[in-house]
Amino acid sequence: MSQRTATEYFDFIASLGYTKHHGSLTATRELVRLCHIEPDSYVLDVGCGVGATPSLLAREVGCRVMGVDLLEKMVEHSRQRAREDGVEHLTDFRAADARDLPFDDDTFDGVISESVNVFFPDKRQAASEYVRVTRPGGYVGMTEMTWLQPPTQQMEESFVRMAYAHVLDVEGWTEVLRASGLADVVGTGSQIDVKTESKTRIQRYGWRRILRGLLNATKLMARDRRARQFVSDGSGALSKDMLHIVGYGVYAGRKPEAP
Ligand SMILES: C[S@@+](CC[C@H](N)C(=O)[O-])C[C@H]1O[C@@H](n2cnc3c(N)ncnc32)[C@H](O)[C@@H]1O
């Protein structure tokens, strides 16, 4: 098992100023639909990274968004992104752990998370927190890396070792949501389409931020062996010939109304 930890990896991607989830904008827009996110919704984005999705929701839907992330660095990036996009009045950010959210019960109309839960070996604690802070009748949704076909044991182990990712299949993810108390749970697995993914990443970040991220990556890799290792492990874990085995899934369920 690697000596590097998932938190060191998140710290590395925070230094790039660039975070992502598989399925990119396609997955986010599907989450908006499945979670019934509307202009008068108050939404929590857990593990918001550098704030691309909170900004998108505020700009495209016009709703209020709270973004939380484990790392203060990510929170700072998110605030900057909201300022640059002119949506500070609709967004708020704070550092918090998904597994112990600093919000009252029944606070949000929708709670979403994108490529966050895959990093938790045990996903129940975070999912129960999402349900706790969602109002009855509100929705919890996530988009996460998903096995589309049964992996070999070696593949499963290499995802944990190289990408810190504890991937589930569609049945596994929907079961996590059901077990946390959600009703009407839906979920679909999809292949990653590399072309669409690249195109929508450009829409999500714009060329200027992508080039800044690449420049930051180059500088970091030149001076830090760990950074080189993160990049090589990441590309090794998900190679092109695995795209029919691992993809992404979009999942959602409704918190039942109080009896
Ligand atoms: C792969 S990135 C995805 C970021 C963002 N959702 C996106 O789609 O760009 C995973 C994010 O989850 C955050 N994270 C990891 N563990 C967390 C935890 N326990 N609580 C809150 N955030 C966490 C990381 O700091 C990182 O920003």
Side-chain angles (χ1 to χ4, degrees):
M1 183 63 165
S2 164
Q3 292 304 301
R4 288 163 289 107
T5 65
T7 309
E8 284 178 307
Y9 168 67
F10 300 136
D11 192 64
F12 164 66
I13 55 174
S15 311
L16 305 184
Y18 181 85
T19 55
K20 65 179 172 65
H21 57 270
H22 296 295
S24 199
L25 277 183
T26 314
T28 302
R29 292 195 171 120
E30 183 62 1
L31 273 183
V32 168
R33 190 181 74 78
L34 292 177
C35 293
H36 302 262
I37 296 175
E38 291 168 357
D40 62 353
S41 301
Y42 182 31
V43 179
L44 173 66
D45 181 14
V46 181
C48 62
V50 298
T53 290
S55 226
L56 177 96
L57 295 181
R59 280 184 288 117
E60 284 197 357
V61 183
C63 60
R64 283 189 304 137
V65 190
M66 166 66 75
V68 297
D69 200 280
L70 191 61
L71 300 188
E72 188 61 49
K73 266 189 196 174
M74 296 288 193
V75 170
E76 282 162 23
H77 278 298
S78 295
R79 289 193 182 119
Q80 185 185 337
R81 173 76 194 244
R83 276 196 297 277
E84 288 171 5
D85 286 357
V87 291
E88 272 174 294
H89 59 298
L90 289 173
T91 54
D92 200 356
F93 298 96
R94 60 197 281 188
D97 191 323
R99 294 159 293 190
D100 185 17
L101 291 169
F103 303 110
D104 291 337
D105 296 359
D106 309 341
T107 299
F108 299 96
D109 298 302
V111 175
I112 61 167
S113 52
E114 300 177 306
S115 192
V116 176
N117 306 284
V118 75
F119 299 107
F120 304 145
D122 176 356
K123 299 162 195 326
R124 280 171 301 185
Q125 194 181 350
S128 303
E129 275 295 86
Y130 307 160
V131 176
R132 181 184 68 75
V133 302
T134 302
R135 70 160 169 81
Y139 288 82
V140 173
M142 51 178 73
T143 175
E144 296 290 348
M145 220 186 271
T146 296
W147 295 124
L148 304 175
Q149 285 182 34
T152 62
Q153 194 185 339
Q154 194 191 0
M155 274 175 202
E156 235 171 331
E157 286 170 2
S158 82
F159 266 74
V160 174
R161 195 178 58 250
M162 296 165 106
Y164 315 99
H166 303 261
V167 183
L168 301 179
D169 59 11
V170 172
E171 189 45 43
W173 284 115
T174 50
E175 187 47 38
V176 168
L177 294 192
R178 269 189 221 105
S180 66
L182 294 170
D184 304 334
V185 173
V186 291
T188 320
S190 303
Q191 279 204 1
I192 297 167
D193 180 81
V194 178
K195 265 198 199 147
T196 313
E197 194 95 356
S198 318
K199 208 168 84 190
T200 53
R201 272 191 202 148
I202 296 166
Q203 288 167 9
R204 199 167 180 249
Y205 284 101
W207 276 112
R208 192 172 48 85
R209 290 191 190 90
I210 289 180
L211 290 176
R212 198 167 57 199
L214 286 173
L215 189 68
N216 290 343
T218 313
K219 281 189 201 156
L220 267 172
M221 282 164 66
R223 64 165 192 261
D224 184 348
R225 195 171 52 82
R226 265 184 342 155
R228 290 194 287 279
Q229 195 64 49
F230 282 133
V231 171
S232 118
D233 282 357
S235 48
L238 182 56
S239 58
K240 264 195 179 152
D241 54 347
M242 288 187 65
L243 292 180
H244 62 293
I245 298 177
V246 67
Y248 69 95
V250 184
Y251 306 94
R254 184 177 51 81
K255 178 168 173 175
E257 303 283 351

